[in-house]
Amino acid sequence: MTTSNTVKVKLVRSPIGCKESHRATVRGLGLRKLGHVRELQDTPAVRGMINKVSYLVQVI
């Protein structure tokens, strides 16, 4: 059901021990627990957030 203007993001690593700004970015993406998946609008802002915490998340 994914359309071309959305992107699915999954939290695959814990943000514990990371910079506070990176933890805030993960929360801004709406991710709470490990394995949590969110479907977000594919905008430049969201892409930038994903890029910032790319070592914590996976695009599926």
Side-chain angles (χ1 to χ4, degrees):
M1 190 143 181
T2 302
T3 60
S4 60
N5 60 347
T6 62
V7 60
K8 281 190 175 183
V9 183
K10 180 179 182 179
L11 186 62
V12 293
R13 285 193 61 206
S14 173
I16 295 173
C18 297
K19 289 182 174 181
E20 183 62 41
S21 64
H22 289 200
R23 284 199 295 270
T25 302
V26 169
R27 295 291 294 135
L29 287 169
L31 300 171
R32 295 178 180 263
K33 295 183 175 184
L34 285 181
H36 192 196
V37 177
R38 284 288 310 257
E39 190 167 348
L40 304 164
Q41 293 295 320
D42 192 7
T43 62
V46 170
R47 284 289 176 174
M49 293 170 76
I50 292 170
N51 189 44
K52 182 175 180 179
V53 294
S54 61
Y55 63 100
L56 298 174
V57 299
Q58 179 182 27
V59 177
I60 52 175

Short mmCIF file of all heavy atoms in Angstrom, two decimals:
data_model
loop_
_atom_site.label_atom_id
_atom_site.label_comp_id
_atom_site.label_asym_id
_atom_site.label_seq_id
_atom_site.Cartn_x
_atom_site.Cartn_y
_atom_site.Cartn_z
N MET A 1 0.82 -1.19 0.00
CA MET A 1 0.00 0.00 0.00
C MET A 1 0.86 1.25 0.00
O MET A 1 0.38 2.35 0.11
CB MET A 1 -0.89 -0.03 1.23
CG MET A 1 -1.96 1.00 1.24
SD MET A 1 -3.42 0.30 1.97
CE MET A 1 -4.47 1.69 1.81
N THR A 2 2.17 1.08 -0.09
CA THR A 2 3.08 2.21 -0.11
C THR A 2 2.99 2.91 -1.46
O THR A 2 3.09 2.27 -2.50
CB THR A 2 4.52 1.74 0.13
OG1 THR A 2 4.57 1.06 1.38
CG2 THR A 2 5.47 2.91 0.19
N THR A 3 2.80 4.21 -1.43
CA THR A 3 2.80 4.99 -2.66
C THR A 3 4.17 5.61 -2.84
O THR A 3 5.04 5.51 -1.98
CB THR A 3 1.72 6.09 -2.62
OG1 THR A 3 2.00 6.95 -1.52
CG2 THR A 3 0.34 5.50 -2.46
N SER A 4 4.35 6.29 -3.97
CA SER A 4 5.67 6.83 -4.28
C SER A 4 6.05 8.02 -3.40
O SER A 4 7.22 8.38 -3.33
CB SER A 4 5.74 7.23 -5.75
OG SER A 4 4.77 8.23 -6.01
N ASN A 5 5.08 8.64 -2.73
CA ASN A 5 5.40 9.81 -1.94
C ASN A 5 5.47 9.53 -0.44
O ASN A 5 5.36 10.43 0.37
CB ASN A 5 4.39 10.93 -2.21
CG ASN A 5 2.98 10.53 -1.86
OD1 ASN A 5 2.71 9.36 -1.63
ND2 ASN A 5 2.09 11.49 -1.83
N THR A 6 5.64 8.25 -0.06
CA THR A 6 5.85 7.91 1.34
C THR A 6 7.09 7.03 1.46
O THR A 6 7.53 6.44 0.49
CB THR A 6 4.64 7.16 1.95
OG1 THR A 6 4.46 5.95 1.25
CG2 THR A 6 3.38 8.00 1.88
N VAL A 7 7.63 6.99 2.68
CA VAL A 7 8.80 6.17 2.95
C VAL A 7 8.59 5.49 4.30
O VAL A 7 8.09 6.11 5.24
CB VAL A 7 10.09 7.03 2.92
CG1 VAL A 7 10.06 8.14 3.94
CG2 VAL A 7 11.32 6.18 3.09
N LYS A 8 8.93 4.20 4.38
CA LYS A 8 8.81 3.46 5.64
C LYS A 8 10.17 3.44 6.32
O LYS A 8 11.18 3.11 5.69
CB LYS A 8 8.33 2.03 5.39
CG LYS A 8 6.86 1.90 5.14
CD LYS A 8 6.45 0.46 5.15
CE LYS A 8 4.94 0.33 5.04
NZ LYS A 8 4.52 -1.08 5.11
N VAL A 9 10.18 3.78 7.60
CA VAL A 9 11.41 3.85 8.37
C VAL A 9 11.27 2.95 9.59
O VAL A 9 10.24 2.96 10.26
CB VAL A 9 11.70 5.30 8.82
CG1 VAL A 9 13.01 5.39 9.57
CG2 VAL A 9 11.71 6.23 7.64
N LYS A 10 12.32 2.16 9.87
CA LYS A 10 12.32 1.24 11.01
C LYS A 10 13.51 1.55 11.91
O LYS A 10 14.62 1.74 11.42
CB LYS A 10 12.42 -0.20 10.49
CG LYS A 10 12.43 -1.25 11.57
CD LYS A 10 12.50 -2.64 10.95
CE LYS A 10 12.47 -3.72 11.99
NZ LYS A 10 12.50 -5.06 11.37
N LEU A 11 13.28 1.60 13.23
CA LEU A 11 14.35 1.81 14.19
C LEU A 11 15.04 0.48 14.45
O LEU A 11 14.42 -0.46 14.93
CB LEU A 11 13.79 2.39 15.49
CG LEU A 11 14.81 2.80 16.54
CD1 LEU A 11 15.71 3.91 16.02
CD2 LEU A 11 14.12 3.26 17.81
N VAL A 12 16.34 0.38 14.09
CA VAL A 12 17.05 -0.89 14.21
C VAL A 12 18.15 -0.86 15.27
O VAL A 12 18.65 -1.91 15.65
CB VAL A 12 17.65 -1.33 12.85
CG1 VAL A 12 16.55 -1.65 11.86
CG2 VAL A 12 18.57 -0.28 12.29
N ARG A 13 18.55 0.33 15.73
CA ARG A 13 19.54 0.44 16.81
C ARG A 13 19.03 1.40 17.86
O ARG A 13 18.33 2.36 17.54
CB ARG A 13 20.88 0.94 16.28
CG ARG A 13 21.66 -0.11 15.51
CD ARG A 13 23.10 0.31 15.28
NE ARG A 13 23.80 0.50 16.54
CZ ARG A 13 24.85 1.32 16.69
NH1 ARG A 13 25.31 2.02 15.67
NH2 ARG A 13 25.44 1.43 17.86
N SER A 14 19.42 1.18 19.10
CA SER A 14 18.96 2.02 20.20
C SER A 14 19.69 3.37 20.17
O SER A 14 20.90 3.42 19.98
CB SER A 14 19.23 1.32 21.53
OG SER A 14 18.96 2.18 22.60
N PRO A 15 18.94 4.46 20.41
CA PRO A 15 19.58 5.77 20.48
C PRO A 15 20.22 6.06 21.84
O PRO A 15 20.77 7.14 22.04
CB PRO A 15 18.42 6.73 20.21
CG PRO A 15 17.22 5.99 20.64
CD PRO A 15 17.49 4.54 20.39
N ILE A 16 20.20 5.09 22.75
CA ILE A 16 20.85 5.28 24.06
C ILE A 16 22.35 5.46 23.83
O ILE A 16 22.97 4.67 23.13
CB ILE A 16 20.57 4.08 24.99
CG1 ILE A 16 19.09 4.00 25.31
CG2 ILE A 16 21.40 4.18 26.27
CD1 ILE A 16 18.71 2.74 26.08
N GLY A 17 22.91 6.46 24.43
CA GLY A 17 24.33 6.72 24.30
C GLY A 17 24.68 7.60 23.11
O GLY A 17 25.85 7.94 22.92
N CYS A 18 23.68 7.96 22.31
CA CYS A 18 23.92 8.84 21.17
C CYS A 18 23.76 10.30 21.61
O CYS A 18 23.32 10.58 22.72
CB CYS A 18 22.92 8.55 20.06
SG CYS A 18 23.07 6.89 19.41
N LYS A 19 24.12 11.19 20.70
CA LYS A 19 23.93 12.62 20.97
C LYS A 19 22.46 12.92 21.25
O LYS A 19 21.58 12.28 20.69
CB LYS A 19 24.36 13.45 19.77
CG LYS A 19 25.83 13.49 19.51
CD LYS A 19 26.07 14.40 18.31
CE LYS A 19 27.53 14.62 18.07
NZ LYS A 19 27.75 15.52 16.93
N GLU A 20 22.24 13.92 22.08
CA GLU A 20 20.86 14.32 22.41
C GLU A 20 20.10 14.75 21.16
O GLU A 20 18.92 14.44 21.01
CB GLU A 20 20.89 15.46 23.42
CG GLU A 20 19.51 15.90 23.88
CD GLU A 20 18.72 14.81 24.59
OE1 GLU A 20 19.31 14.07 25.39
OE2 GLU A 20 17.51 14.71 24.33
N SER A 21 20.79 15.43 20.25
CA SER A 21 20.11 15.88 19.03
C SER A 21 19.70 14.70 18.15
O SER A 21 18.66 14.75 17.48
CB SER A 21 21.00 16.83 18.24
OG SER A 21 22.17 16.17 17.79
N HIS A 22 20.48 13.62 18.17
CA HIS A 22 20.12 12.44 17.39
C HIS A 22 18.94 11.72 18.03
O HIS A 22 18.06 11.22 17.32
CB HIS A 22 21.32 11.50 17.26
CG HIS A 22 22.39 12.04 16.37
ND1 HIS A 22 23.34 11.24 15.78
CD2 HIS A 22 22.67 13.30 15.95
CE1 HIS A 22 24.15 11.97 15.05
NE2 HIS A 22 23.76 13.23 15.15
N ARG A 23 18.90 11.68 19.35
CA ARG A 23 17.74 11.09 20.04
C ARG A 23 16.49 11.89 19.72
O ARG A 23 15.41 11.33 19.48
CB ARG A 23 17.96 11.05 21.55
CG ARG A 23 18.90 9.95 21.98
CD ARG A 23 18.75 9.62 23.46
NE ARG A 23 19.13 10.72 24.33
CZ ARG A 23 20.37 10.92 24.81
NH1 ARG A 23 21.33 10.07 24.50
NH2 ARG A 23 20.63 11.95 25.58
N ALA A 24 16.62 13.22 19.69
CA ALA A 24 15.48 14.08 19.38
C ALA A 24 15.02 13.86 17.94
O ALA A 24 13.81 13.91 17.66
CB ALA A 24 15.84 15.54 19.61
N THR A 25 15.95 13.62 17.04
CA THR A 25 15.60 13.37 15.64
C THR A 25 14.83 12.07 15.50
O THR A 25 13.84 12.00 14.77
CB THR A 25 16.87 13.33 14.77
OG1 THR A 25 17.56 14.58 14.90
CG2 THR A 25 16.53 13.10 13.32
N VAL A 26 15.26 11.03 16.23
CA VAL A 26 14.54 9.75 16.20
C VAL A 26 13.12 9.95 16.71
O VAL A 26 12.16 9.44 16.13
CB VAL A 26 15.29 8.68 17.04
CG1 VAL A 26 14.42 7.45 17.24
CG2 VAL A 26 16.59 8.30 16.35
N ARG A 27 12.96 10.70 17.79
CA ARG A 27 11.63 10.97 18.33
C ARG A 27 10.82 11.80 17.35
O ARG A 27 9.61 11.64 17.22
CB ARG A 27 11.72 11.69 19.68
CG ARG A 27 12.34 10.87 20.77
CD ARG A 27 11.49 9.71 21.20
NE ARG A 27 10.28 10.22 21.82
CZ ARG A 27 9.06 9.77 21.58
NH1 ARG A 27 8.88 8.79 20.75
NH2 ARG A 27 8.03 10.29 22.18
N GLY A 28 11.48 12.73 16.65
CA GLY A 28 10.81 13.56 15.66
C GLY A 28 10.29 12.75 14.49
O GLY A 28 9.29 13.12 13.86
N LEU A 29 10.95 11.65 14.19
CA LEU A 29 10.48 10.75 13.15
C LEU A 29 9.31 9.89 13.64
O LEU A 29 8.70 9.18 12.87
CB LEU A 29 11.62 9.84 12.68
CG LEU A 29 12.69 10.50 11.82
CD1 LEU A 29 13.88 9.56 11.65
CD2 LEU A 29 12.14 10.91 10.47
N GLY A 30 9.05 9.94 14.94
CA GLY A 30 7.93 9.19 15.50
C GLY A 30 8.29 7.77 15.91
O GLY A 30 7.40 6.95 16.10
N LEU A 31 9.59 7.49 16.03
CA LEU A 31 10.03 6.15 16.39
C LEU A 31 10.24 6.07 17.89
O LEU A 31 10.90 6.93 18.48
CB LEU A 31 11.31 5.81 15.64
CG LEU A 31 11.19 5.84 14.11
CD1 LEU A 31 12.55 5.71 13.47
CD2 LEU A 31 10.26 4.75 13.63
N ARG A 32 9.71 5.02 18.51
CA ARG A 32 9.80 4.89 19.96
C ARG A 32 10.65 3.70 20.39
O ARG A 32 11.64 3.87 21.08
CB ARG A 32 8.40 4.76 20.56
CG ARG A 32 7.56 6.00 20.37
CD ARG A 32 6.18 5.79 20.94
NE ARG A 32 5.35 6.97 20.75
CZ ARG A 32 5.18 7.89 21.69
NH1 ARG A 32 5.72 7.76 22.87
NH2 ARG A 32 4.42 8.94 21.45
N LYS A 33 10.27 2.50 19.99
CA LYS A 33 10.96 1.29 20.43
C LYS A 33 11.71 0.65 19.27
O LYS A 33 11.42 0.92 18.10
CB LYS A 33 9.96 0.27 20.98
CG LYS A 33 9.25 0.72 22.23
CD LYS A 33 8.34 -0.39 22.72
CE LYS A 33 7.71 0.00 24.05
NZ LYS A 33 6.89 -1.09 24.58
N LEU A 34 12.65 -0.22 19.58
CA LEU A 34 13.35 -0.97 18.55
C LEU A 34 12.34 -1.77 17.73
O LEU A 34 11.42 -2.37 18.30
CB LEU A 34 14.38 -1.92 19.16
CG LEU A 34 15.66 -1.28 19.69
CD1 LEU A 34 16.58 -2.36 20.23
CD2 LEU A 34 16.36 -0.52 18.59
N GLY A 35 12.51 -1.77 16.43
CA GLY A 35 11.61 -2.50 15.56
C GLY A 35 10.38 -1.72 15.16
O GLY A 35 9.58 -2.19 14.35
N HIS A 36 10.19 -0.53 15.74
CA HIS A 36 9.03 0.30 15.42
C HIS A 36 9.15 0.82 13.99
O HIS A 36 10.20 1.29 13.58
CB HIS A 36 8.94 1.46 16.41
CG HIS A 36 7.65 2.20 16.35
ND1 HIS A 36 7.50 3.45 16.91
CD2 HIS A 36 6.45 1.90 15.81
CE1 HIS A 36 6.26 3.87 16.71
NE2 HIS A 36 5.60 2.93 16.04
N VAL A 37 8.07 0.72 13.22
CA VAL A 37 8.04 1.15 11.83
C VAL A 37 7.04 2.28 11.67
O VAL A 37 5.93 2.22 12.21
CB VAL A 37 7.65 -0.02 10.89
CG1 VAL A 37 7.57 0.45 9.45
CG2 VAL A 37 8.65 -1.15 11.02
N ARG A 38 7.44 3.32 10.96
CA ARG A 38 6.55 4.43 10.64
C ARG A 38 6.56 4.67 9.15
O ARG A 38 7.59 4.54 8.50
CB ARG A 38 7.04 5.73 11.32
CG ARG A 38 6.79 5.85 12.79
CD ARG A 38 5.33 6.08 13.15
NE ARG A 38 4.73 7.15 12.40
CZ ARG A 38 4.50 8.37 12.88
NH1 ARG A 38 4.83 8.66 14.11
NH2 ARG A 38 3.93 9.28 12.12
N GLU A 39 5.42 5.03 8.61
CA GLU A 39 5.31 5.42 7.21
C GLU A 39 5.15 6.93 7.18
O GLU A 39 4.17 7.46 7.71
CB GLU A 39 4.12 4.73 6.54
CG GLU A 39 4.12 4.90 5.05
CD GLU A 39 3.14 3.98 4.35
OE1 GLU A 39 2.63 3.04 5.00
OE2 GLU A 39 2.90 4.21 3.16
N LEU A 40 6.12 7.61 6.60
CA LEU A 40 6.17 9.07 6.61
C LEU A 40 6.12 9.63 5.20
O LEU A 40 6.44 8.94 4.24
CB LEU A 40 7.47 9.53 7.30
CG LEU A 40 7.71 9.01 8.70
CD1 LEU A 40 9.15 9.20 9.10
CD2 LEU A 40 6.79 9.70 9.68
N GLN A 41 5.74 10.90 5.10
CA GLN A 41 5.77 11.58 3.80
C GLN A 41 7.22 11.72 3.34
O GLN A 41 8.11 12.00 4.14
CB GLN A 41 5.14 12.98 3.92
CG GLN A 41 3.66 12.95 4.21
CD GLN A 41 2.86 12.34 3.08
OE1 GLN A 41 3.14 12.59 1.91
NE2 GLN A 41 1.88 11.52 3.43
N ASP A 42 7.44 11.51 2.07
CA ASP A 42 8.80 11.58 1.50
C ASP A 42 9.10 13.03 1.12
O ASP A 42 8.94 13.44 -0.02
CB ASP A 42 8.91 10.66 0.30
CG ASP A 42 10.36 10.48 -0.15
OD1 ASP A 42 11.26 10.96 0.56
OD2 ASP A 42 10.57 9.85 -1.19
N THR A 43 9.52 13.81 2.12
CA THR A 43 9.86 15.22 1.90
C THR A 43 11.35 15.41 2.14
O THR A 43 12.00 14.58 2.78
CB THR A 43 9.07 16.12 2.87
OG1 THR A 43 9.46 15.79 4.21
CG2 THR A 43 7.57 15.92 2.71
N PRO A 44 11.90 16.50 1.65
CA PRO A 44 13.33 16.77 1.91
C PRO A 44 13.65 16.85 3.40
O PRO A 44 14.72 16.42 3.82
CB PRO A 44 13.57 18.12 1.22
CG PRO A 44 12.56 18.17 0.14
CD PRO A 44 11.34 17.47 0.69
N ALA A 45 12.73 17.37 4.21
CA ALA A 45 12.97 17.46 5.65
C ALA A 45 13.07 16.08 6.28
O ALA A 45 13.98 15.82 7.09
CB ALA A 45 11.85 18.27 6.31
N VAL A 46 12.16 15.20 5.92
CA VAL A 46 12.18 13.83 6.46
C VAL A 46 13.42 13.10 5.96
O VAL A 46 14.08 12.39 6.73
CB VAL A 46 10.89 13.08 6.08
CG1 VAL A 46 11.00 11.61 6.41
CG2 VAL A 46 9.70 13.69 6.80
N ARG A 47 13.78 13.28 4.69
CA ARG A 47 14.99 12.64 4.15
C ARG A 47 16.23 13.12 4.90
O ARG A 47 17.14 12.34 5.18
CB ARG A 47 15.14 12.94 2.66
CG ARG A 47 14.22 12.14 1.78
CD ARG A 47 14.65 10.70 1.74
NE ARG A 47 13.72 9.89 0.96
CZ ARG A 47 13.94 8.63 0.67
NH1 ARG A 47 15.02 8.01 1.08
NH2 ARG A 47 13.06 7.95 -0.03
N GLY A 48 16.28 14.40 5.25
CA GLY A 48 17.41 14.93 6.01
C GLY A 48 17.49 14.33 7.40
O GLY A 48 18.58 14.02 7.89
N MET A 49 16.33 14.14 8.03
CA MET A 49 16.30 13.53 9.36
C MET A 49 16.77 12.08 9.30
O MET A 49 17.55 11.63 10.15
CB MET A 49 14.90 13.60 9.96
CG MET A 49 14.44 15.01 10.27
SD MET A 49 12.70 15.10 10.69
CE MET A 49 12.71 14.45 12.35
N ILE A 50 16.32 11.36 8.26
CA ILE A 50 16.75 9.96 8.09
C ILE A 50 18.26 9.91 7.85
O ILE A 50 18.95 9.06 8.40
CB ILE A 50 15.98 9.31 6.93
CG1 ILE A 50 14.51 9.15 7.30
CG2 ILE A 50 16.58 7.97 6.56
CD1 ILE A 50 13.62 8.74 6.14
N ASN A 51 18.77 10.83 7.05
CA ASN A 51 20.20 10.87 6.75
C ASN A 51 21.02 11.14 8.02
O ASN A 51 22.10 10.56 8.20
CB ASN A 51 20.50 11.93 5.69
CG ASN A 51 21.90 11.87 5.19
OD1 ASN A 51 22.43 10.81 4.92
ND2 ASN A 51 22.54 13.02 5.11
N LYS A 52 20.51 12.00 8.89
CA LYS A 52 21.22 12.36 10.12
C LYS A 52 21.39 11.16 11.06
O LYS A 52 22.43 11.01 11.69
CB LYS A 52 20.46 13.48 10.84
CG LYS A 52 21.14 13.97 12.10
CD LYS A 52 20.39 15.15 12.68
CE LYS A 52 21.06 15.65 13.93
NZ LYS A 52 20.35 16.82 14.49
N VAL A 53 20.38 10.31 11.13
CA VAL A 53 20.42 9.16 12.03
C VAL A 53 20.42 7.85 11.25
O VAL A 53 19.85 6.85 11.68
CB VAL A 53 19.26 9.19 13.05
CG1 VAL A 53 19.40 10.35 14.01
CG2 VAL A 53 17.92 9.22 12.35
N SER A 54 21.09 7.84 10.10
CA SER A 54 21.08 6.69 9.20
C SER A 54 21.67 5.45 9.85
O SER A 54 21.36 4.33 9.46
CB SER A 54 21.83 7.01 7.92
OG SER A 54 23.17 7.33 8.19
N TYR A 55 22.53 5.63 10.86
CA TYR A 55 23.14 4.48 11.54
C TYR A 55 22.19 3.87 12.57
O TYR A 55 22.50 2.80 13.13
CB TYR A 55 24.46 4.90 12.21
CG TYR A 55 24.31 5.94 13.29
CD1 TYR A 55 24.31 5.59 14.64
CD2 TYR A 55 24.14 7.29 12.97
CE1 TYR A 55 24.17 6.53 15.63
CE2 TYR A 55 24.01 8.23 13.96
CZ TYR A 55 24.02 7.86 15.28
OH TYR A 55 23.87 8.80 16.25
N LEU A 56 21.05 4.49 12.81
CA LEU A 56 20.06 3.99 13.76
C LEU A 56 18.82 3.43 13.09
O LEU A 56 18.09 2.63 13.69
CB LEU A 56 19.62 5.09 14.73
CG LEU A 56 20.68 5.70 15.63
CD1 LEU A 56 20.08 6.86 16.41
CD2 LEU A 56 21.25 4.67 16.57
N VAL A 57 18.55 3.87 11.87
CA VAL A 57 17.30 3.49 11.20
C VAL A 57 17.57 2.75 9.91
O VAL A 57 18.70 2.75 9.39
CB VAL A 57 16.42 4.73 10.92
CG1 VAL A 57 16.03 5.43 12.20
CG2 VAL A 57 17.10 5.68 9.96
N GLN A 58 16.52 2.13 9.38
CA GLN A 58 16.59 1.41 8.11
C GLN A 58 15.35 1.81 7.30
O GLN A 58 14.25 1.83 7.83
CB GLN A 58 16.59 -0.09 8.38
CG GLN A 58 16.62 -0.95 7.15
CD GLN A 58 16.56 -2.42 7.50
OE1 GLN A 58 16.02 -2.80 8.55
NE2 GLN A 58 17.12 -3.26 6.66
N VAL A 59 15.57 2.14 6.03
CA VAL A 59 14.45 2.45 5.14
C VAL A 59 14.00 1.14 4.50
O VAL A 59 14.81 0.42 3.91
CB VAL A 59 14.87 3.47 4.07
CG1 VAL A 59 13.73 3.72 3.10
CG2 VAL A 59 15.32 4.77 4.72
N ILE A 60 12.71 0.84 4.65
CA ILE A 60 12.20 -0.42 4.10
C ILE A 60 11.10 -0.15 3.09
O ILE A 60 10.61 0.95 2.98
CB ILE A 60 11.67 -1.36 5.21
CG1 ILE A 60 10.67 -0.65 6.11
CG2 ILE A 60 12.82 -1.88 6.04
CD1 ILE A 60 10.04 -1.54 7.15
#
